[in-house]
Amino acid sequence: QLDRGERFLFANEALCRWFGRRSDEIIGRTFREVLGPEAYLHNQPYVARALTGEVAAYERESRSADVRATLAVTLVPEVDAGGVTGLIVVASDITRHKAIAAELQKAKNAAEVANRVCFLDQGRIAESGTPQQLLRQPEGARTRAFLARLLHAG
């Protein structure tokens, strides 16, 4: 939890572990001081947006000691009658989710390639598509002639 000046008001155990600090070493320090200048630059546009009253959600790469992680970060403004008084920072490690999504994309790409048929004519791809496309509605005259011979041969 941050105040309007971006100073930590609260630091949970997970945040303390990630930064390798005790809560009394975080509370009272600015977001920039805790994150460091470089990491803060990546977060600053979202902090600025949240300080206007808008919920800001984003993903970012983060590092703690020798651990790298992809974090999903949501900055939720705390508002009273006078406007934004601070921010609640919610960060979740989505590294495993991203790895699974990448593996699923690879599997999808492999399945799409495996589900394609090519008709070669003199060593060149004359036509390609799904089996249904190529067998039901071939575009090329030579492909149609070849399939007609093949299907009527047996």
Side-chain angles (χ1 to χ4, degrees), residues 2-140:
L2 304 173
D3 68 12
R4 180 143 183 82
E6 300 180 32
R7 291 196 178 279
F8 277 91
L9 300 173
F10 174 78
N12 68 16
E13 188 178 320
L15 180 89
C16 293
R17 267 195 324 270
W18 183 256
F19 288 107
R21 298 182 184 182
R22 296 185 319 267
S23 64
D24 65 340
E25 296 174 311
I26 294 175
I27 294 173
R29 296 196 184 276
T30 65
F31 201 40
R32 185 175 204 259
E33 290 171 324
V34 173
L35 266 62
E38 187 177 325
Y40 178 76
L41 282 175
H42 297 290
N43 291 273
Q44 196 281 327
Y46 304 102
V47 171
R49 187 181 322 155
L51 287 172
T52 68
E54 181 182 338
V55 172
Y58 58 102
E59 293 178 6
R60 72 177 186 90
E61 298 298 317
S62 187
R63 185 178 189 151
S64 172
D66 61 346
V67 177
R68 288 183 173 272
T70 302
L71 301 178
V73 181
T74 304
L75 304 174
V76 181
E78 289 188 290
V79 182
D80 68 11
V84 176
T85 61
L87 305 174
I88 301 293
V89 180
V90 180
S92 301
D93 183 348
I94 60 168
T95 307
R96 185 163 163 73
H97 170 78
K98 292 295 237 181
I100 291 168
E103 288 300 317
L104 285 173
Q105 186 60 48
K106 284 181 190 176
K108 179 183 175 203
N109 292 346
E112 287 175 359
V113 169
N115 290 326
R116 294 195 65 78
V117 174
C118 294
F119 175 71
L120 299 175
D121 185 8
Q122 298 180 353
R124 295 180 188 213
I125 296 175
E127 204 170 330
S128 71
T130 65
Q132 294 82 8
Q133 290 169 331
L134 203 58
L135 294 173
R136 290 185 184 154
Q137 295 178 327
E139 294 177 7

